[in-house]
Amino acid sequence: MGDPVNWPQIIRDLEERDVTLYKLALMMRCQYVQVQRWAHGVEPKYHTGAKLLAIHAQYVVSRETLQSESHEQQNNKLSA
């Protein structure tokens, strides 16, 4: 069994990428109050959690990876 997911942190990460709770509710096709519950630590059901993690990967992880790769390319150009 894996480590528990910090759902409030997942929500905060998305909010830092301008994904509001309202927008997240629309993306998840659920009620706004449900997203508020996750933000306060309520654990989503398995499939809902998987969908939330996929959105997190799209908006947070992929952008961080792209920024990191871009930064590495700039450093390589400067050192060449």
Side-chain angles (χ1 to χ4, degrees):
M1 197 158 165
D3 293 331
V5 176
N6 184 342
W7 297 109
Q9 183 61 51
I10 296 292
I11 303 293
R12 282 192 300 272
D13 289 349
L14 287 165
E15 287 181 303
E16 288 174 4
R17 297 290 192 263
D18 297 326
V19 179
T20 64
L21 297 184
Y22 176 75
K23 183 176 178 180
L24 188 56
L26 292 175
M27 294 168 75
M28 295 289 296
R29 296 187 176 155
C30 68
Q31 294 181 354
Y32 176 82
V33 69
Q34 188 60 51
V35 178
Q36 286 179 313
R37 289 181 188 133
W38 301 331
H40 289 103
V42 173
E43 186 170 346
K45 293 186 179 186
Y46 179 82
H47 293 288
T48 305
K51 189 174 180 181
L52 186 55
L53 289 174
I55 292 170
H56 182 267
Q58 179 182 358
Y59 280 83
V60 178
V61 177
S62 64
R63 290 183 183 177
E64 287 176 355
T65 302
L66 287 174
Q67 288 174 351
S68 176
E69 288 174 357
S70 175
H71 183 68
E72 287 176 19
Q73 288 173 353
Q74 289 176 353
N75 285 341
N76 289 341
K77 286 179 183 177
L78 292 174
S79 63

